[in-house]
Amino acid sequence: VLAFLIIVAAVLVHGCGLKVPEDKLEYVGEWQSREMYLLINRNGSVRYSRLKEGGTTSVSGPIRAFEGDNFIVGVPMITTTFVVSEPPHLENKQWKMTVDGVTLVKTGS
């Protein structure tokens, strides 16, 4: 029974995501800084890790919604909002974005 519930939960988690909309395609890609890694796939899946004060925070899951420039990742009742103060933009031939106060550089598409 437990194995069945785990399989059902996994299917629900992966089936609940939001494909990245056309007007947010600049978000798709691999973004990095010294302390943060963020991967946003076209299908809406996200992988995130951040080194802060000697510890690491990690989040993986589907995009639930975009609210303005911000995006929400997770499953119902367990979500994380990524605050985007500067959306993806081209600066000196590099794509940059500021998420949760950290400036990231796009390193892959």
Side-chain angles (χ1 to χ4, degrees):
V1 173
L2 180 59
F4 174 75
L5 292 175
I6 291 171
I7 291 170
V8 169
V11 169
L12 290 174
V13 166
H14 290 291
C16 294
L18 171 72
K19 187 175 177 184
V20 176
E22 294 295 320
D23 65 332
K24 301 290 187 188
L25 286 179
E26 294 88 10
Y27 285 69
V28 172
E30 188 175 42
W31 301 85
Q32 295 186 57
S33 74
R34 295 188 90 183
E35 69 269 17
M36 186 184 292
Y37 173 83
L38 177 63
L39 175 64
I40 303 173
N41 292 303
R42 176 71 171 102
N43 68 3
S45 64
V46 172
R47 261 191 325 156
Y48 160 88
S49 62
R50 181 173 184 180
L51 179 62
K52 188 175 182 181
E53 298 172 7
T56 302
T57 302
S58 298
V59 174
S60 293
I63 293 176
R64 303 290 303 160
F66 279 91
E67 292 181 350
D69 293 327
N70 303 336
F71 55 99
I72 300 167
V73 174
V75 296
M77 293 193 239
I78 305 173
T79 61
T80 300
T81 299
F82 290 87
V83 177
V84 180
S85 54
E86 286 189 61
H89 61 282
L90 202 53
E91 184 179 309
N92 298 324
K93 299 183 182 180
Q94 283 188 316
W95 281 95
K96 294 186 177 183
M97 170 170 60
T98 302
V99 179
D100 295 339
V102 178
T103 300
L104 304 171
V105 175
K106 194 174 202 176
T107 58
S109 51

